[in-house]
Amino acid sequence: MSLRHFLSTQHLSRAELEAIFSLASAFKREPTGHALAGKGVALVFLNPSLRTRTSFELGVHQLGGHAVVLEPGRGAWGIEWREGAVMDGEAEEHVAEVARVLSRYVALIGVRAFPRFRDWAEDREDPVLSAFVRHATVPVFNMETILHPCQELAHALAMRERLGDLRGRKYLLTWTYHPRPLNTAVANSALLIATRLGMDVTLLIPSEEYRLDERFLAAAEANCQESGGSLRITTDIEEGYRDAAVVYAKSWGALPFYGRPEEERPLRERFRHFIVDEAKMALTRGGLFSHCLPLRRNVKATDAVMDAPYCFAIDEAENRLHVQKAMMTWLIAENTPHV
Ligand code: CP
């Protein structure tokens, strides 16, 4: 039997997606389960985290299992993932051993591995996550690499809790200023899930340099064909915000300047006014706002927006716990042979 992993929501059928949402809502009412009774889950973090780490550690516990958090290079040996590498640098062991050894101990392996921000052609292949998948003999799940599928599920569940059926609702994904170029993962993910659920999606970017990777734009277009949603891209702030049911904000780096942040800086500095503020939210006429967090207040969104009743970022963060328990329960069931 070949393993099912959880790397992208695009790999789930619509029925599987709905089953996970339904189970997540059930976990919200009754938090405990038994899917991981007596089992271990390895949570491999190559990057910092507050929400992902806390919600997965607690989630594994609430399903009867035990989570082991590993931070390669900080308390665990540094890991090399390139096949055929001559390992005379910092890394003490290869993912070929790491993934196979962990597979002997645990039932699931979660991986957080942000891009290295050197070469997008390399990073867009998701090399660390792919290497874990190649070598592990247990299911692997994505805790944010070039996509953030757990955030997608939490975000979508939170929108549904407020709006019900999302089909035909206007969804604005807006770029926001941040002093550094950040990962595109959450933006890619937001595009995928909103189009999958049939929303009319507007991607608001400050200039063409901030277009997302064409592969994700194409996948979002394909989702629209299937779901009846739509995707448009604009640089016009007023057009983007006007009558949006949901505004989702994220900052990311301009791909043409990938690995060259100092060259991107003068361009980025021109767009501080993309901050989400009350004047822009007023254009939505009653729209909701969220962000995946962490968020720099008064840089990405103002205090007033973050503290407004229409901001559901905290509820979205809570949903991480529920959707991840649903995802892990689904993953265990999918990989358990049925007689
Ligand atoms: N949204 C999110 O993944 O938060 P952390 O980086 O704190 O895990």
Side-chain angles (χ1 to χ4, degrees):
M1 188 175 98
S2 66
L3 286 174
R4 292 281 315 264
H5 303 282
F6 178 71
L7 311 178
S8 163
T9 55
Q10 294 288 110
H11 301 156
L12 300 177
S13 69
R14 190 54 203 261
E16 288 170 333
L17 203 49
E18 290 303 331
I20 289 176
F21 283 132
S22 169
L23 189 54
S25 296
F27 276 129
K28 202 161 182 167
R29 294 187 295 273
E30 170 46 62
T32 55
H34 307 285
L36 293 173
K39 298 181 194 296
V41 176
L43 303 174
V44 182
F45 282 94
L46 279 81
N47 309 95
S49 165
L50 184 146
R51 281 144 289 271
T52 306
R53 177 172 174 168
T54 309
S55 54
F56 266 113
E57 278 201 61
L58 287 171
V60 171
H61 172 71
Q62 290 171 4
L63 293 178
H66 181 82
V68 180
V69 173
L70 297 164
E71 297 176 295
R74 274 186 59 202
W77 304 114
I79 301 175
E80 174 62 67
W81 59 88
R82 291 168 301 173
E83 300 296 333
V86 177
M87 292 177 53
D88 57 1
E90 291 300 310
E92 282 298 334
E93 59 181 330
H94 198 275
V95 67
E97 282 73 52
V98 175
R100 287 185 297 164
V101 168
L102 289 177
S103 298
R104 299 282 178 100
Y105 298 146
V106 301
L108 302 171
I109 301 174
V111 179
R112 167 166 281 199
F114 293 173
R116 291 199 302 168
F117 296 104
R118 292 181 195 164
D119 178 1
W120 178 239
E122 185 182 308
D123 285 343
R124 80 193 286 276
E125 300 307 322
D126 222 349
V128 181
L129 187 66
S130 305
F132 268 95
V133 167
R134 203 158 49 243
H135 294 290
T137 56
V138 297
V140 173
F141 59 83
N142 184 346
M143 300 196 296
E144 191 177 353
T145 58
I146 56 170
L147 287 171
H148 199 347
C150 295
Q151 192 73 47
E152 280 177 55
L153 296 176
H155 179 49
L157 182 63
M159 288 195 289
R160 281 183 161 194
E161 287 167 344
R162 277 154 190 78
L163 299 173
D165 189 348
L166 300 175
R167 283 177 297 180
R169 298 282 196 158
K170 180 172 175 181
Y171 179 92
L172 173 64
L173 171 59
T174 178
W175 182 91
T176 47
Y177 173 81
H178 185 284
R180 288 185 295 111
L182 301 181
N183 194 358
T184 55
V186 170
N188 295 331
S189 272
L191 268 193
L192 294 181
I193 199 69
T195 52
R196 192 88 190 275
L197 297 177
M199 301 184 86
D200 288 328
V201 176
T202 299
L203 172 61
L204 172 61
I205 50 176
S207 69
E208 282 301 308
E209 288 86 349
Y210 290 89
R211 279 176 76 95
L212 294 168
D213 187 282
E214 289 302 326
R215 183 176 40 169
F216 297 116
L217 293 174
E221 288 284 6
N223 285 347
C224 292
Q225 295 299 318
E226 210 173 296
S227 68
S230 63
L231 173 63
R232 55 186 287 111
I233 302 176
T234 184
T235 54
D236 182 330
I237 292 177
E238 212 172 303
E239 180 194 331
Y241 276 82
R242 195 179 305 121
D243 298 326
V246 178
V247 175
Y248 201 47
K250 185 70 187 81
S251 191
W252 61 87
L255 295 178
F257 292 95
Y258 201 79
R260 293 175 286 118
E262 288 312 315
E263 288 179 44
E264 183 200 8
R265 190 185 298 279
L267 178 67
R268 165 176 296 270
E269 290 300 323
R270 283 169 37 202
F271 302 128
R272 284 178 179 257
H273 62 287
F274 271 70
I275 184 171
V276 183
D277 56 23
E278 285 179 296
K280 294 189 188 74
M281 286 303 297
L283 294 167
T284 68
R285 296 191 292 189
L288 302 168
F289 171 77
S290 193
H291 186 278
C292 63
L293 306 178
L295 175 138
R296 293 188 184 217
R297 279 178 173 238
N298 303 312
V299 174
K300 285 177 166 177
T302 60
D303 284 333
V305 168
M306 289 306 291
D307 295 331
Y310 55 70
C311 174
F312 64 92
I314 304 299
D315 295 329
E316 178 173 327
E318 179 199 321
N319 281 352
R320 293 288 304 277
L321 181 60
H322 311 306
V323 298
Q324 289 162 191
K325 281 191 289 185
M327 178 275 290
M328 290 188 286
T329 301
W330 171 82
L331 209 43
I332 291 287
E334 273 299 299
N335 289 287
T336 303
H338 299 286
V339 285

